[in-house]
Amino acid sequence: VYVIAFVQDENTKAVLNAGSSWGQITIKEDDPKEDTTTGLEEDDLWDLAWLYPNPIENQLQIRTKAAQGISQIRIFDVSGKEILQQTFPISSEQNYMVSVNDLLSGIYFVYIEIAGQWVAKRIVKQ
């Protein structure tokens, strides 16, 4: 059982902070133009993976510049229910495609495992 809690701005409805059974996480917006990663320190993990397009329709594309690639992703709905889990073979692959055809319209949180650490990103399914 995974527990996820969110702190949401009352006016803008933006998710400001989140905690899970994996520990405290911070949700940040993606900026694929920004390229400042220098290693695998916690602050740099956010810049190791980009999700696009966002909002998504049928295919979620994940791009990473981590040399070891992504080992798995997990997608949760806003209630904390795990909707999708996908593992990937260990490789230096840097581009991934995930079918999200079966997801209903709404907000989801994508947990990406990179080098044994988890990065959380927010997506919107149209």
Side-chain angles (χ1 to χ4, degrees):
V1 172
Y2 297 101
V3 176
I4 301 174
F6 303 100
V7 177
Q8 187 174 32
D9 184 288
E10 188 174 311
N11 298 318
T12 66
K13 304 300 182 202
V15 175
L16 303 175
N17 202 358
S20 75
S21 56
W22 293 313
Q24 188 70 19
I25 58 171
T26 301
I27 306 296
K28 289 188 175 184
E29 297 298 321
D30 286 327
D31 184 359
K33 296 178 203 125
E34 194 172 303
D35 187 8
T36 60
T37 303
T38 57
L40 288 179
E41 295 180 19
E42 185 174 338
D43 290 341
D44 295 330
L45 280 172
W46 300 110
D47 294 327
L48 283 178
W50 297 283
L51 308 181
Y52 59 95
N54 197 5
I56 58 175
E57 290 184 15
N58 299 317
Q59 291 286 329
L60 172 62
Q61 297 181 49
I62 305 172
R63 188 179 80 187
T64 181
K65 59 184 169 183
Q68 57 276 72
I70 294 171
S71 52
Q72 70 173 307
I73 66 159
R74 292 178 167 185
I75 298 178
F76 293 85
D77 66 14
V78 293
S79 73
K81 179 181 176 186
E82 185 173 39
I83 304 299
L84 182 118
Q85 192 264 345
Q86 186 170 344
T87 58
F88 301 96
I90 296 173
S91 75
S92 59
E93 180 65 39
Q94 295 190 327
N95 294 297
Y96 301 83
M97 298 283 286
V98 178
S99 174
V100 292
N101 286 331
D102 295 335
L103 296 184
L104 299 174
S105 296
I107 296 173
Y108 294 89
F109 295 90
V110 180
Y111 286 77
I112 306 162
E113 186 179 17
I114 302 172
Q117 298 196 37
W118 291 92
V119 176
K121 302 280 186 168
R122 180 178 55 119
I123 58 171
V124 176
K125 171 72 159 72
Q126 292 185 335

